[in-house]
Amino acid sequence: MEQPTTPTARHGTAAAGPSPPAVRPADVGVLLMRVPVGLLMAGHGSQKLFGLFGGHGIQATGKGFEALGYHPGTIFAGIAGASELLGGLGVAVGLLTPLAAAALIGVLINAMTVTSPNGLWSTEGGIEYPLVIALVVLGVATIGPGALSLDHFFPWRNGGWRYGAFALILGGIGAAIVLNL
């Protein structure tokens, strides 16, 4: 007769050993994506809305939006700035992450639409920058904000296909509405 070889089989209980860490490397990794990207987007929104960080404020940004075909420019600048500020803060702290990501994705789809005639690379005024930021926040929504977030009590903390799809679809709908007004 063969003797059991595992601690559980020998003693009838689970082996005592190190418990899994409360904070996994993936939690830190997603934090390293969330915080700088979210804060940069929040800062970008603050430039539009309040003229902070070298920005031009809502009136001048509104004139720029009008030149791009968004009428009334001040309203669209306010929507873009608020989406960047609130979406960026939400992504940074991991609060309502799929919704925050959707706000950013919607703005970034509009930015890609405006910059697409210039090609891919940012050096030519292309879509490179908004594309990368949109993919990062889509990735965060899909992966989930992790244990080091304010969403740590919610089911989307660990992400999933449906949360990534929610962010992409809602952001796409928002962008489509703005682009068709």
Side-chain angles (χ1 to χ4, degrees), residues 78-109:
I79 293 168
S83 296
E84 291 171 348
L85 176 62
L86 297 175
L89 290 174
V91 166
V93 300
L95 179 62
L96 302 175
T97 303
L99 185 61
L104 293 176
I105 289 168
V107 169
L108 292 162
I109 289 171

Side-chain angles (χ1 to χ4, degrees), residues 124-170:
E124 304 298 322
I127 67 168
E128 177 186 10
Y129 176 76
L131 176 63
V132 169
I133 299 298
L135 291 173
V136 168
V137 298
L138 176 59
V140 168
T142 305
I143 294 166
L148 300 173
S149 70
L150 296 179
D151 278 341
H152 68 275
F153 293 111
F154 295 107
W156 54 84
R157 173 191 78 197
N158 294 320
W161 291 114
R162 68 178 145 182
Y163 303 117
F166 172 84
L168 182 60
I169 291 168
L170 187 61

Side-chain angles (χ1 to χ4, degrees), residues 2 6 8 40 43 50 53-55 59 64 77 106 110-111 133 137 141 166-167 180:
E2 194 171 312
T6 65
T8 302
L40 286 170
F50 312 118
F53 312 116
Q59 295 303 321
N110 274 275
I133 299 298
V137 298
F166 172 84
N180 287 295

